[in-house]
Amino acid sequence: MQKLLIILPLLLAGCTQPLADLARPQFLFGTHADPVLAADLAKLRYPREAPVGRDLDILMLQKDRNFTFVNRTTEAHKNVQLWLNQQYVGLIDEIPIGMSPTFQMGHFINQYGEAYPIGGLLNPDKSYPLVLAELYNPSTENSTGQRHKIVVRSEDVEIIK
């Protein structure tokens, strides 16, 4: 019982967030993304009417809150929208040939301005499985306006080389 009385205040203290942090703009949408960019992303709608194009030979390797791409195609993809589970969108400047830099899932926003839900130690039920990722590029002259599916893999799965 004494141990519980000691541990409980420590847990409660760790769960609280200072009031000053709540007013900081980076917490506006539950993400560390730029609030202006998050507001712009919330205005985008999933391109449901766009035809589905061929699947791209790109692997999306997810580990915890981050992911990276392995682009096995012969072209880099620039200035595209990446849609996660048809609800959360992020803007990707470039997916180069080969390995890409790491992206944070918390920077992907839905139409309500909410960040992609990621569970943690005290709230594992908050996580939302990533089952579908699609690239969409509506603005280029060469674009066919198609959605292209990407294979999503957990980095816990060993990839045979």
Side-chain angles (χ1 to χ4, degrees):
M1 183 67 174
Q2 290 176 344
K3 290 180 182 178
L4 183 61
L5 292 175
I6 293 172
I7 294 173
L8 187 60
L10 292 175
L11 285 174
L12 292 175
C15 294
T16 60
Q17 186 175 17
L19 188 57
D21 284 347
L22 293 175
R24 293 174 61 189
Q26 69 249 33
F27 293 104
L28 183 62
F29 295 99
T31 178
H32 291 285
D34 176 23
V36 174
L37 177 60
D40 290 342
L41 290 175
K43 294 175 186 173
L44 295 176
R45 296 295 171 255
Y46 178 70
R48 190 170 314 281
E49 303 302 321
V52 177
R54 62 180 170 78
D55 292 355
L56 296 177
D57 194 12
I58 297 176
L59 286 176
M60 184 175 171
L61 302 174
Q62 177 193 2
K63 182 166 180 152
D64 299 325
R65 302 173 180 191
N66 302 314
F67 65 87
T68 187
F69 293 107
V70 178
N71 183 357
R72 301 183 298 188
T73 67
T74 57
E75 61 185 84
H77 299 272
K78 297 182 180 186
N79 302 318
V80 294
Q81 297 174 7
L82 178 65
W83 285 88
L84 306 179
N85 295 341
Q86 297 182 348
Q87 297 175 12
Y88 297 87
V89 64
L91 301 177
I92 306 290
D93 291 333
E94 181 179 17
I95 301 175
I97 298 170
M99 291 288 285
S100 73
T102 301
F103 297 93
Q104 295 181 1
M105 293 177 72
H107 289 194
F108 287 75
I109 306 297
N110 69 7
Q111 66 181 351
Y112 305 108
E114 301 165 336
Y116 192 92
I118 301 167
L121 178 64
L122 298 177
N123 58 354
D125 294 339
K126 182 182 175 186
S127 66
Y128 193 66
L130 177 58
V131 294
L132 178 64
E134 296 174 291
L135 283 184
Y136 177 66
N137 190 347
S139 63
T140 63
E141 293 176 16
N142 297 334
S143 174
T144 58
Q146 296 177 335
R147 295 177 282 143
H148 299 277
K149 293 180 182 178
I150 296 175
V151 175
V152 179
R153 295 277 186 255
S154 171
E155 277 197 357
D156 297 334
V157 176
E158 186 175 325
I159 297 175
I160 301 172
K161 295 181 182 180

